[in-house]
Amino acid sequence: MLVSQILRNKETQSVVTVAPGTPLSEVVKVLSENRIGALVVSSDGKKVAGILSERDIVRELGKRGAGCLSDTVDDVMTRNVYGCKPDDSADLVLQTMTMKRFRHIPVMEGDQMLGLISIGDVVAARMSELELEKDALTGMIMGY
Ligand code: AMP
């Protein structure tokens, strides 16, 4: 299974982004209202300046307390963002997420972001693929 298929199977292709300079207090609202665990920091919705996940916020809260909420996203986001390509395999993306210990990865074409996939999207796609394979094998064995 390819990343492009995983993206197509998602309910929505749009990626939730915030602009550089957004205060963390606003980011917390955006994450909560959209029921998501990470967002991309971008000034135009296409070029990726950074990524920020709930873990980054929890880390800052643990270190510095609620005062960190008046910082901007730029102070806390990860700038060295790993991306994947539409024709990468789901297995490669899962390996990267597992090795690097993150659960979100933007799908890039050059410097333009096409979408974002989470570890949940990849696992769901692999499970439905395995289900199809199981049905095909059962069919062969039972002679359907
Ligand atoms: P996550 O597991 O995605 O909630 O993120 C865990 C940590 O990895 C956080 O510090 C994120 O900012 C960072 N992170 C998440 N996704 C990526 C990515 N694609 N590339 C680089 N860092 C990331």
Side-chain angles (χ1 to χ4, degrees), residues 66 68 99 112:
C68 72
M99 274 168 38
Q112 302 286 299

Side-chain angles (χ1 to χ4, degrees), residues 62-75:
K63 272 201 295 198
R64 298 165 44 217
C68 72
L69 294 175
S70 50
D71 287 359
T72 68
V73 70
D74 312 54
D75 300 323

Side-chain angles (χ1 to χ4, degrees), residues 37-38 51-56 59 76-83 100-106 116:
I51 192 161
L52 185 115
S53 97
E54 55 202 353
R55 288 192 192 181
D56 299 313
R59 186 190 62 231
V76 179
M77 69 186 187
T78 301
R79 290 170 192 272
N80 184 17
V81 180
Y82 282 84
K100 304 281 181 196
R101 295 179 177 275
F102 49 64
R103 299 165 293 176
H104 302 87
I105 197 159
L116 181 88

